[in-house]
Amino acid sequence: MRRPAAPGVREVPGARRTGVVLLFGQAVAGLLVGLVWWSLTRRPAALLVGEPVVTSSTVYPMARDGVFSVLTGLVGLVAAVVVLRRARRAPVTVFVAALAGALASSLLAAGTGSALPPAAAGAGEVTLTAWVAVLVQPFVVAAVVALVTLCDVLVRWTRTP
């Protein structure tokens, strides 16, 4: 049974649905990103760490964190596009749901990749060295939405007579 809206508050079902999709959709994407991140970095290729393949204690963690940042940044970019295209009625609600989903997605991706076993005995485990990388996805969502919104406002402002 649905609860009625509070007096004076207008319900926006489309915005609620978009917010829920952004929140839980990014969480599911985080699990997939964690699997992709683990599969790419458990045996680093020359593409990730240079030629010849160097798995020293300084190069490998930076490449691993970089791959994680790129993957989560791409998911954040997709989420920002969804926010910009679908959040006309309740933009703040959808934006907050997108930020919460982005943080949850990054944490789930880091946890999933770290929980899976290493490639072989004696191989390094896949884990983040710089935990600030979990903030890349929420930052991309916020930065893209802010930049596009600012540009839209400036364009409207300059076209106003």
Side-chain angles (χ1 to χ4, degrees), residues 1-30:
M1 179 173 196
R2 263 181 98 171
R3 216 171 25 158
V9 176
R10 189 173 62 121
E11 273 196 50
V12 186
R16 178 180 287 170
R17 184 173 36 248
T18 302
V20 168
V21 167
L22 279 168
L23 183 65
F24 292 110
Q26 286 185 93
V28 170

Side-chain angles (χ1 to χ4, degrees), residues 54-83:
V54 179
T55 56
S56 71
S57 61
T58 57
V59 174
Y60 180 58
M62 287 186 288
R64 188 177 51 226
D65 292 353
V67 170
F68 181 84
S69 297
V70 168
L71 291 173
T72 57
L74 289 173
V75 174
L77 184 62
V78 170
V81 169
V82 170
V83 169

